Amino acid sequence: MRSTSDAELPGAHGTSRHERSVHLLERATGRLATAAIARMEDTLSWYRAMPAEQRSWVGLVIQAGIAAFVDWYRNADESRPTPTADVFGTAPRDLIRSISLQQTVEVVRVAIEVVEDNVEDVVGPDDVRDVREGVLRYSREVAFSAAHVYARYAEARGSWDARLEATVVDSLLRGEVDEDVRSRASALGWTAASGVVVIIGRPRPDDGTSADEIRRSARHAGYDVLTGGQGDRLVAVLGRVEDPMQAATAIVTHFGPGPVVVGPLVPDLVSAATSARPAVTGLLAAAGWPDAPRPVSAGALLPERALAGDQDALNDLVAELYVPIAEAGPVILETLAAYLETGASVEAAARLLFVHPNTVRYRLRRVTDVVGLTPTDPRDSYTLRLALSLGRMNPPVIE
């Protein structure tokens, strides 16, 4: 491969063998880069599949790497730092998005192999050992540098994604969902078209990794996820959900101490605020039910939310409980009222109504059939009593 005569080389006039090798390597830089690119075409399928522009970026990295090696090798005896920043500084930052760290290592490996295969033809047999040792030292530094570049990029990208995700979550909770918000959610990996639920709790006070762990667990369970902190609250928006409580159970351990409230299931991301509002008020009101399960649905906190002034909860208690019971018939409503007002005693209610205790039991079962709550259960009894009071205070029109 060498066509230059010995008389034309610096070494022929007293120049050291090291300088002669450097000179030969400089002259062969373009040829080595071309050979490396040709070998990548032959051996790396992902490289062949890349667009021409991106392949040219990789070529720039190869050329810069070989040139930087020659520059480093020229002064290697002076313990100069390896100029690895020059290797990756020649290509656009978009290249990091185009190829993975593993692929970058493959590029470095191919370039090393090409240099090693051709070094004897370039510098001759007398200097080949010294140059190959230099190549190995230098390639190790380049590999470390590549890992550092990717780690730095991942850290910056992670910080940017976290800020973007927090902005998207904030917009969803405020109900300000436009095409930009949906586009940003898609950029963060959101693909769900249905089944969305908002889950809210407190962050852990220790290591600040709650959001990362929620993402991992949610994705492992098959859900799309957007998460972020809002002051002293940690919010998770999950997609592809069929059962809200089951979805919440998959991530509940990553929240800090205290209640974790699950909003109702809504059809899409645009409706996320409809799930978020009851979850937010539920978190604020949950202190009124210290024995609430964890997670707890916002619907199960209707009494506490109503007492905290949540108008939606007030309306739901009347519409979902009082109205169906009243529509079941006046005797059902009268029997429930008597049972609650006599201290949840079937016998006392029967005496008050002048009916048999079994009649009271039958009518109470009708309440359960109509609204799904059991008057003999202490928690359900409390909810029904509040719904009864609210319905009496603001009597709805019963058709």
Side-chain angles (χ1 to χ4, degrees):
M1 292 176 66
R2 287 185 296 142
S3 59
T4 305
S5 68
D6 289 343
E8 296 173 313
L9 298 177
H13 301 285
T15 307
S16 70
R17 288 171 54 186
H18 181 79
E19 290 176 346
R20 175 180 177 277
S21 296
V22 170
H23 179 76
L24 290 170
L25 288 168
E26 282 180 329
R27 297 185 61 171
T29 297
R31 180 155 45 91
L32 292 172
T34 301
I37 292 170
R39 185 170 297 187
M40 285 193 297
E41 287 276 3
D42 291 338
T43 61
L44 302 179
S45 58
W46 60 264
Y47 176 76
R48 291 194 300 272
M50 292 178 76
E53 182 184 27
Q54 293 178 2
R55 288 202 306 273
S56 70
W57 293 345
V58 177
L60 286 174
V61 171
I62 291 288
Q63 293 177 33
I66 295 175
F69 163 70
V70 175
D71 183 60
W72 170 83
Y73 185 70
R74 175 185 288 111
N75 302 284
D77 57 337
E78 298 176 10
S79 302
R80 272 186 61 192
T82 306
T84 48
D86 297 340
V87 176
F88 299 100
T90 57
R93 182 164 292 274
D94 286 346
L95 180 62
I96 300 176
R97 301 192 188 111
S98 303
I99 67 173
S100 66
L101 177 59
Q102 180 180 353
Q103 290 169 337
T104 303
V105 172
E106 288 179 349
V107 170
V108 173
R109 177 179 56 78
V110 169
I112 293 168
E113 289 176 352
V114 168
V115 173
E116 287 184 326
D117 290 348
N118 291 277
V119 69
E120 185 170 351
D121 292 328
V122 173
V123 302
D126 293 339
D127 299 319
V128 66
R129 181 176 178 180
D130 185 59
V131 175
R132 279 180 174 162
E133 287 180 357
V135 169
L136 291 175
R137 287 171 54 197
Y138 185 80
S139 62
R140 181 187 63 185
E141 296 301 325
V142 170
F144 284 136
S145 177
H148 180 66
V149 168
Y150 275 81
R152 221 173 25 184
Y153 174 77
E155 183 178 358
R157 178 64 185 267
S159 299
W160 169 253
D161 282 355
R163 290 192 294 271
L164 179 62
E165 192 169 8
T167 301
V168 171
V169 169
D170 184 65
S171 297
L172 293 175
L173 265 61
R174 287 187 280 110
E176 299 175 358
V177 183
D178 55 18
E179 196 56 41
D180 284 345
V181 172
R182 277 181 275 195
S183 175
R184 290 167 185 164
S186 297
L188 291 165
W190 185 274
T191 60
S194 62
V196 175
V197 67
V198 176
I199 303 165
I200 299 181
R202 306 293 182 191
R204 287 202 305 249
D206 48 8
D207 54 9
T209 61
S210 296
D212 292 335
E213 292 173 353
I214 285 174
R215 290 187 196 97
R216 283 194 294 271
S217 294
R219 288 168 181 159
H220 179 74
Y223 303 114
D224 281 359
V225 58
L226 296 168
T227 184
Q230 280 202 327
D232 63 345
R233 299 182 306 213
L234 180 60
V235 181
V237 183
L238 302 188
R240 302 182 182 275
V241 174
E242 295 181 1
D243 183 337
M245 297 305 292
Q246 181 179 342
T249 301
I251 63 172
V252 68
T253 57
H254 305 311
F255 287 87
V260 175
V261 184
V262 185
L265 190 66
V266 294
D268 49 42
L269 196 61
V270 176
S271 309
T274 305
S275 180
R277 280 192 295 271
V280 170
T281 59
L283 184 65
L284 296 174
W289 186 14
D291 297 327
R294 178 184 154 106
V296 60
S297 70
L301 289 165
L302 278 176
E304 289 74 23
R305 289 168 51 207
L307 291 172
D310 182 345
Q311 188 61 47
D312 289 337
L314 292 167
N315 296 339
D316 287 347
L317 281 169
V318 174
E320 296 176 10
L321 299 179
Y322 181 84
V323 170
I325 294 171
E327 289 177 342
V331 295
I332 303 299
L333 186 62
E334 180 185 34
T335 300
L336 176 62
Y339 173 75
L340 295 174
E341 290 166 5
T342 55
S345 169
V346 171
E347 289 73 15
R351 289 193 296 271
L352 183 64
L353 297 172
F354 301 102
V355 297
H356 192 276
N358 285 342
T359 301
V360 173
R361 293 188 180 93
Y362 168 77
R363 292 174 181 175
L364 293 180
R365 285 197 296 272
R366 285 284 294 129
V367 172
T368 301
D369 293 339
V370 170
V371 297
L373 297 184
T374 305
T376 56
D377 177 82
R379 174 67 187 178
D380 289 354
S381 175
Y382 171 67
T383 303
L384 289 166
R385 188 175 185 86
L386 186 57
L388 196 62
S389 297
L390 291 170
R392 287 167 170 169
M393 292 166 59
N394 299 284
V397 177
I398 308 296
E399 298 181 359

